[in-house]
Amino acid sequence: MNDLEIKNATIVDGLGKESYEGNIYVKNGKIVAITHKESLDSKKSINANGKIVSPGFIDLHTHSDSSFLVDSRADSKVRQGVTLELIGNCGMSTCAPLIGEAKTIFKQRVSMLENPEDLNVDWTDYAGYIDAMKKAGAPLNVAFQVGHGTLRAAVIGLEDRPPTAEELNYMRKLTAESLDAGALGLSTGLFYAPGYYARTDEVIALAEEVGKRDKLYSTHQRDEGSRTVGLFVSLNEAIEIGRRSDCKVQISHVKCAAQKVWGKSDEYLQLLEDTVQEGIDIAGDQYPYTASSTALTGALFPRWSLSGGREKTLEFMADEDHRGRLVDEITDTFSKGRGAEGIIIARYVEDESLEGKTLIEIADIMNTSPAEAALRIYQKGEASVISYGMTDEDVENFASHPLIAVASDGSSLSATGKLSVGKPHPRSYGTNPRFIQKYVNEKNVISIEEAIRKMTSLPAQRLGLTNRGRLTPGYAADIVIMDLAKIKENSTFADPHQYPEGISHVIVNGELVVENEIYNGSKPGQMITEFNS
């Protein structure tokens, strides 16, 4: 007897093919049969009449590194249909390895949580971190990447300098150890300190370890607009890393993020297509919003001011000449996007009353300039911000392209408890429903079959997974049931901690996790450390 039957379903298999009517049967965590009319004996049956049934969504770009250690019931992703998250993105595998200055970055990152002291850390290497995640459990599956920025901080520190030969060998060793422990890729955040301080050859040396194991290289490229080297120089650097290290390249959160490159999405996509034609395995992922989110320093501070870490930055700020230079360069950064009114405080532990306010509003409160307000905020502590810097036209153009997967760049959070603080980007609650609502239902930019492919088999292929991302017998039973007409993102920038509508059931490894749009508290998620796990 089967464990579960999903009958009268409109099946979208994840491969982009036309939907068809049928019944799906699950046993021991696997899909065991799909029939067109025949009913098979099952312990439990769900009538999916009038609903779409698809594979569970795979989110290639998330920052849930500490989420499940803080609250293992974090449900914002699974309630939007995500059944697997890839963490450790943007060069920040925040929780491992924890040696050297990587421990300092970890403490800074978790300081924005509620009661960070409750996070019990008894590991230093990646294997220990994966074990801790297994013990904590999760509603969905988790796959891992090791971050170049974390490795650099662990070995070199936070200074702007190249590694010695000995240091580079040690970074390679840590990369190899982390990949062999179960990380499925390496990520870089070359836009951020300390990753920004790396030269291309340093990254290639580590990416070679990825290529040897046929794993994934994900990159928050060095410039997504016109802050430093420019969008296309940066994209070509990512391509060259893939070319020379012989590894798959994933461009994270694809965007044109400055006035000078608005409208350049066609040129961007053409370069990706040309690179594929050359024989380099490259693709990208994207969230369906015109605003991004990151740390205040990452969004605004010039990288020279971050060399050496927070204490050194505070020293720069205390020096009159350096402070003046900082104000000038931050003001210049405003001019490249949508100005200080496009920067909103998402999380600020030191003064939660500033959350949800723009830097223009905060500057008025402080009776100073927006750039000076940013410095005053950082003097008391780091903040996370939301930054408007894209156009709807470019976002929609990327959304329609077959090489671009759907990914959130968010975290598994919760509308209650420790992970319900601040005003985070709504992508943590609404990325997948928003994509379907906006580009399938409202704008008809793509079909539901193509949208599902971009959320399932495409990211599974990028990550090298061999038994997830499609509905077929023998594959893991990660399944979403949705009412297409009722799909709705409820999370907003003003009130982000809201769950979506229209996704009625979510099944992870054969176990119901979301029933009638409510998370039931179960935690059947697995730690995915092999391609076939």
Side-chain angles (χ1 to χ4, degrees):
M1 180 177 290
N2 297 303
D3 297 325
L4 178 64
E5 172 192 58
I6 304 170
K7 64 182 181 179
N8 303 320
T10 300
I11 297 172
V12 178
D13 67 3
L15 297 177
K17 299 176 182 177
E18 277 192 38
S19 62
Y20 62 93
E21 305 302 310
N23 308 318
I24 299 173
Y25 294 90
V26 173
K27 185 175 182 179
N28 297 329
K30 301 284 187 182
I31 298 169
V32 293
I34 298 177
T35 67
H36 291 284
K37 292 183 179 179
E38 181 185 4
S39 293
L40 307 177
D41 289 341
S42 303
K43 297 174 186 176
K44 183 179 177 68
S45 180
I46 297 173
N47 188 349
N49 187 40
K51 294 183 178 179
I52 284 175
V53 179
S54 78
F57 305 149
I58 297 172
D59 192 341
L60 276 179
H61 192 99
T62 85
H63 293 281
S64 298
D65 299 59
S66 62
S67 290
F68 305 110
L69 301 173
V70 174
D71 182 355
S72 61
R73 293 163 55 94
D75 63 346
S76 72
K77 290 294 190 65
V78 76
R79 283 180 63 156
Q80 56 175 295
V82 174
T83 58
L84 190 151
E85 289 190 281
L86 178 63
I87 63 173
N89 281 286
C90 294
M92 297 178 286
S93 53
T94 310
C95 296
L98 290 181
I99 57 177
E101 287 297 319
K103 292 186 290 185
T104 301
I105 293 177
F106 169 78
K107 289 176 182 176
Q108 290 174 350
R109 294 278 293 182
V110 302
S111 68
M112 288 189 246
L113 299 171
E114 189 175 79
N115 303 318
E117 65 276 2
D118 293 344
L119 188 56
N120 181 32
V121 177
D122 60 359
W123 69 86
T124 56
D125 62 4
Y126 220 105
Y129 169 50
I130 292 174
D131 286 342
M133 288 284 282
K134 289 178 180 177
K135 291 175 185 175
L140 44 65
N141 303 303
V142 180
F144 303 83
Q145 291 178 116
V146 62
H148 161 256
T150 300
L151 294 167
R152 199 172 213 278
V155 176
I156 302 172
L158 304 177
E159 295 80 21
D160 180 1
R161 66 171 179 84
T164 64
E166 184 178 77
E167 288 169 335
L168 184 59
N169 285 335
Y170 189 22
M171 289 169 67
R172 287 188 72 136
K173 177 174 179 288
L174 287 176
T175 302
E177 287 177 355
S178 299
L179 294 169
D180 292 341
L184 295 186
L186 167 75
S187 77
T188 53
L190 302 179
F191 176 73
Y192 298 112
Y196 177 81
Y197 306 136
R199 282 56 169 177
T200 306
D201 284 348
E202 176 186 321
V203 180
I204 290 169
L206 304 190
E208 285 173 348
E209 298 297 327
V210 179
K212 289 176 188 176
R213 295 161 175 82
D214 196 26
K215 294 191 174 185
L216 185 65
Y217 169 67
S218 302
T219 182
H220 180 147
Q221 59 193 75
R222 198 175 294 271
D223 193 349
E224 296 173 322
S226 58
R227 284 280 295 274
T228 55
V229 298
L231 176 62
F232 290 100
V233 170
S234 176
L235 182 54
N236 275 293
E237 179 188 36
I239 292 167
E240 185 64 16
I241 290 167
R243 182 182 288 120
R244 291 174 57 187
S245 60
D246 194 24
C247 65
K248 293 184 289 185
V249 178
Q250 186 72 13
I251 307 297
S252 296
H253 40 60
V254 169
K255 60 174 72 79
C256 296
Q259 287 184 24
K260 285 186 177 180
V261 296
W262 288 345
K264 299 283 188 180
S265 52
D266 280 335
E267 189 176 339
Y268 191 119
L269 291 168
Q270 187 63 56
L271 181 53
L272 290 185
E273 291 176 9
D274 292 345
T275 303
V276 170
Q277 286 296 314
E278 182 189 334
I280 295 171
D281 192 346
I282 191 168
D285 52 68
Q286 170 218 27
Y287 48 84
Y289 300 86
T290 57
S292 59
S293 184
T294 189
L296 178 71
T297 48
L300 295 178
F301 281 45
R303 300 304 181 247
W304 61 262
S305 69
L306 303 176
S307 177
R310 177 173 170 79
E311 293 305 315
K312 190 66 177 177
T313 302
L314 292 175
E315 287 182 23
F316 285 134
M317 289 166 56
D319 178 86
E320 184 177 346
D321 290 338
H322 281 124
R323 193 179 189 93
R325 182 183 172 192
L326 271 167
V327 167
D328 289 344
E329 294 193 28
I330 291 172
T331 301
D332 182 59
T333 297
F334 292 146
S335 71
K336 294 177 179 177
R338 287 203 163 84
E341 64 271 19
I343 306 291
I344 302 168
I345 301 297
R347 178 64 174 151
Y348 186 47
V349 175
E350 308 301 328
D351 185 354
E352 293 182 350
S353 71
L354 299 184
E355 294 172 355
K357 289 183 171 63
T358 70
L359 277 181
I360 290 286
E361 293 170 325
I362 295 168
D364 287 343
I365 293 169
M366 294 181 175
N367 194 28
T368 188
S369 70
E372 177 62 32
L375 296 181
R376 292 184 188 180
I377 289 168
Y378 183 69
Q379 276 181 254
K380 293 183 178 180
E382 181 65 280
S384 63
V385 300
I386 289 165
S387 176
Y388 285 86
M390 293 165 268
T391 68
D392 284 314
E393 293 77 12
D394 283 329
V395 172
E396 182 174 320
N397 200 22
F398 288 131
S400 66
H401 197 278
L403 283 175
I404 309 300
V406 179
S408 71
D409 197 13
S411 303
S412 276
L413 303 176
S414 179
T416 60
K418 295 179 180 179
L419 296 175
S420 63
V421 296
K423 291 185 181 294
H425 197 298
R427 62 195 181 190
S428 290
Y429 288 85
T431 290
N432 298 85
R434 177 185 176 87
F435 192 91
I436 295 170
Q437 177 186 352
K438 186 170 183 178
Y439 297 121
V440 176
N441 288 353
E442 295 175 2
K443 294 199 165 191
N444 297 311
V445 172
I446 58 173
S447 66
I448 184 60
E449 290 86 357
E450 174 63 4
I452 296 300
R453 185 191 72 85
K454 288 159 74 72
M455 299 177 184
T456 57
S457 68
L458 176 58
Q461 180 268 329
R462 299 306 299 154
L463 197 49
L465 303 179
T466 59
N467 68 340
R468 297 181 192 269
R470 59 182 291 195
L471 296 181
T472 194
Y475 270 52
D478 294 342
I479 301 171
V480 171
I481 305 175
M482 72 183 84
D483 188 330
L484 180 59
K486 294 182 179 178
I487 290 286
K488 182 183 178 184
E489 176 201 25
N490 287 319
S491 180
T492 65
F493 286 96
D495 188 8
H497 295 287
Q498 298 188 80
Y499 300 112
E501 297 174 26
I503 295 175
S504 61
H505 296 75
V506 181
I507 297 155
V508 178
N509 297 316
E511 185 173 333
L512 273 164
V513 176
V514 174
E515 300 180 74
N516 299 315
E517 300 193 11
I518 303 297
Y519 170 51
N520 65 17
S522 59
K523 298 186 290 184
Q526 297 177 5
M527 302 301 118
I528 307 299
T529 56
E530 297 177 353
F531 296 136
N532 61 356
S533 58

